[in-house]
Amino acid sequence: NSASQRSATELSDFTLALIKPDAVRAGFVADIISELNENGLIVISQQEHTMTSEEVHKFYSHITNEPYFLNLVDYMTSGPSVALVLAKVNPSERPVCEMLKELCGPKDGVCARQEKPARQKTK
């Protein structure tokens, strides 16, 4: 059985990823999912949803005191995001969370553009 044929409850290593509103608006969802697949990750579940302010506060509770937080709330509630539950194709790969972080690159947009200028996140 390949990982793509198993349900999320059968997998021991999975994570949540959000494709944020600007990428959804720009039509990058299919490209992002293709890139994830090409790099050994599969989508177990996918849902498009516009987050409420309350949901943003819960999801990002670890950064509510940051000076940029209110801008983040406005941004995340500005349109739909796509939530993805991701797993890895090859069980012997490193943890799925590490694989995703490597694909996403640096959080800082300037660093991301320097490191991987062709990536969707950097556009």
Side-chain angles (χ1 to χ4, degrees):
N1 240 6
S2 73
S4 61
Q5 295 171 329
R6 290 182 273 170
S7 72
T9 57
E10 295 175 298
L11 297 167
S12 61
D13 187 19
F14 52 95
T15 194
L16 173 71
L18 284 179
I19 301 176
K20 295 180 180 173
D22 59 340
V24 174
R25 269 191 296 278
F28 291 141
V29 174
D31 292 339
I32 291 169
I33 291 173
S34 291
E35 186 173 351
L36 293 168
N37 292 159
E38 290 166 9
N39 286 278
L41 297 173
I42 56 168
V43 176
I44 299 299
S45 179
Q46 174 179 338
Q47 182 178 7
E48 187 173 294
H49 175 71
T50 300
M51 294 178 80
T52 65
S53 178
E54 295 78 22
E55 289 170 331
V56 175
H57 277 82
K58 277 185 176 180
F59 190 79
Y60 290 103
S61 64
H62 59 289
I63 58 169
T64 56
N65 292 327
E66 294 293 337
Y68 58 83
F69 185 73
L70 293 179
N71 289 335
L72 177 64
V73 173
D74 289 342
Y75 168 62
M76 292 303 295
T77 59
S78 70
S81 294
V82 175
L84 305 172
V85 176
L86 301 173
K88 54 191 176 181
V89 174
N90 183 349
S92 64
E93 286 279 350
R94 63 194 186 286
V96 69
C97 193
E98 285 180 20
M99 295 170 70
L100 180 62
K101 283 180 182 180
E102 183 178 312
L103 280 172
C104 289
K107 290 181 183 181
D108 181 281
V110 173
C111 293
R113 278 187 284 285
Q114 291 172 347
E115 187 175 301
K116 297 182 179 183
R119 304 246 14 267
Q120 299 299 340
K121 181 179 179 179
T122 64
K123 293 183 180 178

